[in-house]
Amino acid sequence: AEHHEPLLVSYVFFFHPDTGFAVGLTNVTHEQSSGVVLFTSDGGATWEKQHTTPRTGEWCWKISFPSRRVGYVSLQRNSQTPIYFLKTSDGGRSWQDKLFSTSYYFVQGIGFINELEGWIGGNSTLPTYATTDGGETWQSANFGSRVNRFRFLNDSLGYAVGRTVYKFSRATTVGV
């Protein structure tokens, strides 16, 4: 289905020149907006709406696919609670709204190094949060302020940017 209603796109992710996702919001007035995930299989000539969040006052901000099957989308809210994120386990065909926090947290960035291990950031006064179980539970990662983008080069090296640049590295032991 070709998509014609006006949407604001905040981020895109492509697996292939023809196949990708765009995330954003359904209304320029944030209080009336819901988050939206769009999909294209023809290089962006047409877009199909895959998911719209059921709440207003939020929008999709960033998208992270640690594998072709599993992906995550951060949902930003300016004032209301609880705070959610989106997860897919079928390559983006369906999306599930997942609880991040019952307390207020201004989410911007989300990044996963594999299907289970990832981070959410954004708040200026609270730290970035980490999960090791695919977003079922979250704990303080003890770093970060205003973290809004994660970029992993492989499973042992990555960067996050916010108020400063943060480097993730996992020491690897090589036996001979």
Side-chain angles (χ1 to χ4, degrees):
E2 194 163 336
H3 195 75
H4 291 290
E5 66 184 81
L7 300 170
L8 293 177
V9 173
S10 61
Y11 206 73
V12 295
F13 177 87
F14 277 75
F15 289 110
H16 175 274
D18 291 333
T19 308
F21 293 89
V23 298
L25 52 155
T26 60
N27 194 307
V28 294
T29 304
H30 291 172
E31 295 77 24
Q32 298 172 12
S33 177
S34 294
V36 65
V37 178
L38 307 172
F39 173 76
T40 185
S41 60
D42 58 13
T46 60
W47 292 89
E48 181 182 330
K49 192 182 293 185
Q50 294 294 116
H51 185 79
T52 303
T53 62
R55 298 160 301 278
T56 56
E58 73 182 0
W59 56 96
C60 297
W61 191 242
K62 295 290 190 307
I63 187 167
S64 175
F65 268 92
S67 72
R68 182 60 183 91
R69 187 174 61 90
V70 175
Y72 298 87
V73 173
S74 62
L75 294 173
Q76 181 177 319
R77 297 190 96 178
N78 279 343
S79 60
Q80 300 159 325
T81 59
I83 308 299
Y84 294 89
F85 65 97
L86 301 179
K87 181 178 182 177
T88 182
S89 297
D90 60 11
R93 285 187 293 278
S94 65
W95 293 86
Q96 182 180 22
D97 292 66
K98 303 279 289 178
L99 180 66
F100 167 62
S101 176
T102 56
S103 301
Y104 183 71
Y105 188 94
F106 185 79
V107 171
Q108 291 178 321
I110 193 165
F112 276 73
I113 202 159
N114 57 48
E115 291 183 359
L116 298 176
E117 192 174 2
W119 295 264
I120 278 181
N123 199 290
S124 61
T125 58
L126 296 171
T128 298
Y129 280 79
T131 183
T132 57
D133 58 12
E136 294 301 315
T137 60
W138 295 89
Q139 307 79 33
S140 172
N142 295 316
F143 82 91
S145 179
R146 288 278 182 217
V147 174
N148 65 29
R149 186 158 299 152
F150 294 87
R151 174 73 167 103
F152 297 105
L153 302 176
N154 54 47
D155 64 358
S156 61
L157 179 62
Y159 296 89
V161 294
R163 193 156 277 153
T164 187
V165 177
Y166 303 93
K167 181 179 181 180
F168 168 84
S169 64
R170 188 181 342 252
T172 58
T173 304
V174 177
V176 177

